[in-house]
Amino acid sequence: MIRLFITLPFVLGLIILAACNQGSAPMTWLEWQWNSSPGVLALLTGAVFYALGYICAWIGTLGQIRRARKAEQQVRTLETEAATLRASVAANSAMPAAAATPAPAAVPPTPPLAAPVVPSSPPTENRT
């Protein structure tokens, strides 16, 4: 939408220029010479560079499209892995609890940690 606000005044200006400059004038570029109106030349130049800008933007989005497809494929793969893991968890939870896991070994208690010592800030002097 913002491109429209940039492009529309530019295109309208070129159209007005082409409408106001309808007289033929000799044009030269390097060794080529032709007769054309300046307005038509401005419209053709604007159209060519607009097309080049569109192609450059399209090429820039090709990489983003490729990355998006790759990410979608990775999401599908992860979803299938999650589904298989859920199925295996559901199958394991259907087994009796005593046969599924052995009793955990006793873990010795750990002593509590000492409280951290926070250094006090140095006194600040009030110099006036």
Side-chain angles (χ1 to χ4, degrees):
M1 184 70 181
I2 193 141
R3 283 184 261 162
L4 182 65
F5 291 125
I6 295 170
T7 305
L8 191 62
F10 179 72
V11 171
L12 286 176
L14 284 178
I15 291 172
I16 291 171
L17 178 75
C20 292
N21 295 314
Q22 292 181 357
S24 181
M27 305 278 175
T28 58
W29 189 68
L30 297 176
E31 294 184 10
W32 295 305
Q33 294 181 356
W34 68 93
N35 287 332
S36 175
S37 72
V40 171
L41 181 65
L43 279 176
L44 288 176
T45 304
V48 166
F49 282 104
Y50 185 80
L52 285 174
Y54 181 79
I55 290 170
C56 289
W58 181 69
I59 288 172
T61 59
L62 285 178
Q64 293 176 354
I65 292 171
R66 183 177 43 93
R67 285 190 296 273
R69 286 184 183 159
K70 191 175 181 180
E72 286 175 0
Q73 180 62 34
Q74 187 177 11
V75 165
R76 284 189 213 107
T77 304
L78 291 173
E79 284 175 347
T80 56
E81 286 180 18
T84 56
L85 287 174
R86 284 187 193 116
S88 66
V89 166
N92 286 340
S93 65
M95 296 174 59
T101 57
V107 178
T110 57
L113 297 175
V117 177
V118 179
S120 62
S121 60
T124 57
E125 294 180 15
N126 189 3
R127 297 181 185 178
T128 55

